[in-house]
Amino acid sequence: MRILAVDTATPTCSVAIHDAAGVVCELTLGQGRTHSTQLLGLIQSALSAARLAAAEIEGFGVTIGPGSFTGLRIGLGVIKGLAFALGRPAVGISSLEALAHPWRGWPGVICPLLDARKGEVYFNHFVSNTDGYRARGADAVGPVEAALADGPDPCLFVGDGARLYRERIIAALGERARFAGSGFDPIRGSSVAELARARLLRDPRSDAALLVPRYVRRPDAKPPLPPDDVARPRPAPGAGGPAGVPTDD
């Protein structure tokens, strides 16, 4: 099964194509949050480098979060559009699972951390098992101290959040803290593709229509108040009203 997968959850944009032999092509750009102008070109370049037509792709993968709200929506929109147009299945992959993936087999705890701004990180904990590795819980957001795993095992921290809060992590964990090199901070499209391919082989009917972003943190923005809001009566609690509108972060 040939898989095309993308990551747009962070400032880095990555596209990869994967088949039974492994990674066919991977392209990654780290030029900031301009995924709307880069992603389609990267996909076309990856297909050209792999000498494939879009119709030869048999399934798609995309990171669904946590991460940049705008970035997630761009990646999901493009992949869902391709999946619908070609009649192919698509699956969503946790950004944190993809970030931890290159380190499967690590003997301790893998702690992927993504900068969530506002003094917080997105995090989860992964441990090795007979199938590779598994998450200890659900993806979460909070101060870096909430992301520190308990127990005696060494913890491998990876991601831009690990770089940002390195000193606080070392102060709390001492010699238990290990850090991946900065070259492993970006989420790799090849990791997303490999995870997506394994999932699609188990369930080749995965419906792209079911894919939704996993923000983890609720959007903060609300619609602007009308100019005469001070004089306008507000609805009672539970009476409803306009919903919050997601923004970039």
Side-chain angles (χ1 to χ4, degrees):
M1 178 178 278
R2 291 193 187 96
I3 302 299
L4 187 148
V6 308
D7 168 64
T8 54
T10 71
T12 298
C13 184
S14 188
V15 175
I17 298 173
H18 195 286
D19 65 12
V23 180
V24 177
C25 177
E26 181 178 45
L27 299 175
T28 302
L29 290 177
Q31 298 176 348
R33 300 182 187 228
T34 56
H35 304 326
S36 60
T37 61
Q38 293 178 335
L39 183 54
L40 287 174
L42 273 183
I43 290 173
Q44 185 56 57
S45 295
L47 289 169
S48 297
R51 298 181 179 179
L52 293 172
E56 295 179 90
I57 298 298
E58 299 166 275
F60 295 92
V62 59
T63 45
I64 57 173
S68 160
F69 293 175
T70 298
L72 295 174
R73 290 195 294 267
I74 291 169
L76 275 164
V78 168
I79 290 301
K80 291 176 76 168
L82 289 171
F84 289 147
L86 297 170
R88 301 289 191 263
V91 293
I93 302 297
S94 160
S95 310
L96 296 170
E97 183 180 5
L99 188 57
H101 188 70
W103 299 97
R104 59 197 182 280
W106 168 260
V109 181
I110 310 166
C111 298
L113 304 180
L114 288 175
D115 180 19
R117 302 184 181 182
K118 304 180 182 179
E120 295 182 324
V121 292
Y122 297 116
F123 67 92
N124 206 333
H125 302 140
F126 295 85
V127 292
S128 298
N129 62 11
T130 54
D131 297 324
Y133 66 112
R134 62 174 177 82
R136 281 183 168 177
D139 295 348
V141 64
V144 71
E145 285 75 15
L148 306 183
D150 296 328
D153 294 331
C155 298
L156 177 67
F157 293 91
V158 59
D160 59 2
R163 200 80 40 229
L164 183 62
Y165 295 105
R166 181 185 180 104
E167 293 184 4
R168 284 165 60 176
I169 294 170
I170 293 174
L173 297 185
E175 295 183 355
R176 286 180 55 214
R178 305 284 193 277
F179 295 88
S182 60
F184 292 94
D185 285 357
I187 297 172
R188 300 282 299 273
S190 55
S191 293
V192 183
E194 187 170 346
L195 289 164
R197 186 173 185 276
R199 196 166 299 174
L200 285 169
L201 287 173
R202 294 194 300 269
D203 184 8
R205 299 170 297 174
S206 299
D207 188 351
L210 302 178
L211 293 180
V212 294
R214 185 186 301 161
Y215 293 132
V216 177
R217 170 194 283 157
R218 290 179 61 84
D220 296 324
K222 298 179 181 179
L225 297 174
D228 60 342
D229 184 69
V230 174
R232 181 175 299 174
R234 292 175 171 80
V245 179
T247 58
D248 288 2
D249 278 301

